[in-house]
Amino acid sequence: LFTLLEEYKNQSPTSLLHMETLLAESLLLLESVYRNSRNPAISDHHQLVSSVCEYIQNHYVENITLASLAKVFYVNEYTLSRNFNRITRLSIPQYTNLVRLSNAKEMLSSPEKCSLLQIALQSGFNSASHFDKIFRSVEHMSPREYRKLIFK
């Protein structure tokens, strides 16, 4: 929550997506603590989803799939997907893309001018075109336009 507050104070153009991600994590944690005290069976699902979120944040550069996550966490793909969607209101690919976009936006805002391909690959996207497509769908502008907006 302190990081979320700092991002709010910062008010940089890149902070909105990062704040949304931090808020989702904070809400997950709060809900997990609340449910932990009431129903241990539900808390297991929240713990799983929290662990999956943490894993994605630490491995977003890698190729993350539902199947690979199910293997890492020793759970059924259907169960993992259903619980993740129910708790976060996002699919695993949506959450993974938000984490990747958060990293990409930080890189786009950096004074070091990396190429869009470098940013895409270092953020976990397979190609610059896939990165551009996902970026446009979330930000309603291209990564290049976003960079220009930042450095006006």
Side-chain angles (χ1 to χ4, degrees):
L1 287 176
F2 291 114
T3 307
L4 182 61
L5 183 60
E6 286 301 314
E7 284 291 328
Y8 179 75
K9 289 178 184 175
N10 184 14
Q11 288 295 315
S12 73
T14 62
S15 63
L16 182 59
L17 184 60
H18 192 234
M19 286 187 334
E20 288 173 355
T21 305
L22 289 171
L23 183 58
E25 291 169 14
S26 299
L27 291 174
L28 267 172
L29 180 63
L30 287 173
E31 186 177 9
S32 177
V33 168
Y34 173 72
R35 292 194 189 262
N36 232 353
S37 64
R38 303 185 79 215
N39 186 341
I42 294 175
S43 68
D44 289 344
H45 297 302
H46 284 79
Q47 181 58 44
L48 171 64
V49 171
S50 181
S51 296
V52 169
C53 288
E54 185 177 340
Y55 181 89
I56 291 170
Q57 289 170 13
N58 292 326
H59 297 89
Y60 63 87
V61 177
E62 300 169 16
N63 181 25
I64 298 173
T65 64
L66 179 58
S68 67
L69 289 172
K71 284 181 184 176
V72 168
F73 291 97
Y74 304 103
V75 294
N76 176 289
E77 290 179 33
Y78 173 76
T79 302
L80 175 58
S81 178
R82 185 180 47 138
N83 285 313
F84 196 92
N85 288 337
R86 184 176 49 81
I87 293 169
T88 66
R89 304 285 188 247
L90 295 169
S91 69
I92 289 173
Q94 286 172 324
Y95 182 80
T96 303
N97 283 335
L98 287 178
V99 171
R100 288 174 173 163
L101 285 176
S102 180
N103 180 71
K105 288 174 75 174
E106 284 182 35
M107 292 180 73
L108 285 167
S109 302
S110 170
E112 298 173 14
K113 298 277 184 167
C114 295
S115 73
L116 293 180
L117 177 60
Q118 285 176 312
I119 291 171
L121 296 176
Q122 290 176 13
S123 298
F125 293 98
N126 298 350
S127 66
S129 61
H130 182 64
F131 168 55
D132 187 76
K133 177 183 172 187
I134 299 297
F135 195 96
R136 284 177 189 268
S137 71
V138 173
E139 296 299 324
H140 307 291
M141 66 176 76
S142 72
R144 184 169 275 115
E145 292 167 335
Y146 180 83
R147 180 182 265 168
K148 285 180 185 176
L149 182 68
I150 296 294
F151 290 106
K152 270 190 178 181

